[in-house]
Amino acid sequence: MSYSHELLEHFEQLAGRFDVQRRKQRYYFSQLRRWLGYHVPKGSRVLELGCGDGTELMALQPSQAMGIDFSQGLIQLARARHPQGQWLVHDVSENLPPIAQTFDFIFAIDLAGYLQDFQG
């Protein structure tokens, strides 16, 4: 099942004010980076589903980073801010395209509340 048009529209609009929203939630994101940094060693190969602008992913200092998000606007931010990462626009509620790389860690922190079948 794919995301609703309304949800995609919400995230496309969010892309335009992403930094303002992130500042409002700075404590949450600082704790998230701290927790992820504890569990994911620097230099790991990491894939993030629902990556937003890629900030949390790139804060891990991965040797290889791939982020997937369904918002074109957020992926554009990720590409501009973190050109060393690989960024893909895709709806993760549908089958992922073939990915030729392997990863040490895959995470989807802020995605759980938006998927009807998270395990699927």
Side-chain angles (χ1 to χ4, degrees):
M1 166 175 253
S2 62
Y3 292 105
S4 71
H5 175 73
E6 292 81 20
L7 187 59
L8 178 57
E9 188 175 302
H10 164 75
F11 280 99
E12 293 298 349
Q13 290 175 3
L14 178 64
R17 61 182 200 286
F18 199 71
D19 293 332
V20 171
Q21 189 66 30
R22 183 169 295 274
R23 278 193 298 275
K24 290 179 182 179
Q25 298 172 322
R26 67 182 168 269
Y27 178 77
Y28 167 75
F29 286 107
S30 71
Q31 293 302 305
L32 179 60
R33 280 190 295 279
R34 184 175 174 203
W35 183 84
L36 287 169
Y38 178 78
H39 293 285
V40 179
K42 292 177 184 173
S44 297
R45 296 167 301 174
V46 184
L47 168 63
E48 182 179 10
L49 305 174
C51 65
D53 76 337
T55 298
E56 276 60 57
L57 174 57
M58 298 313 291
L60 298 172
Q61 299 177 19
S63 63
Q64 181 179 354
M66 177 179 275
I68 301 175
D69 202 290
F70 78 135
S71 167
Q72 180 70 41
L74 290 173
I75 290 296
Q76 286 175 344
L77 285 176
R79 287 177 179 151
R81 294 174 178 183
H82 311 288
Q84 67 276 30
Q86 295 177 291
W87 309 105
L88 178 64
V89 176
H90 188 78
D91 182 345
V92 298
S93 68
E94 298 176 0
N95 290 334
L96 291 176
I99 298 174
Q101 299 131 290
T102 58
F103 298 94
D104 302 311
F105 296 90
I106 299 172
F107 62 93
I109 300 290
D110 287 327
L111 197 60
Y114 297 104
L115 295 176
Q116 290 185 2
D117 180 10
F118 188 76
Q119 287 183 317

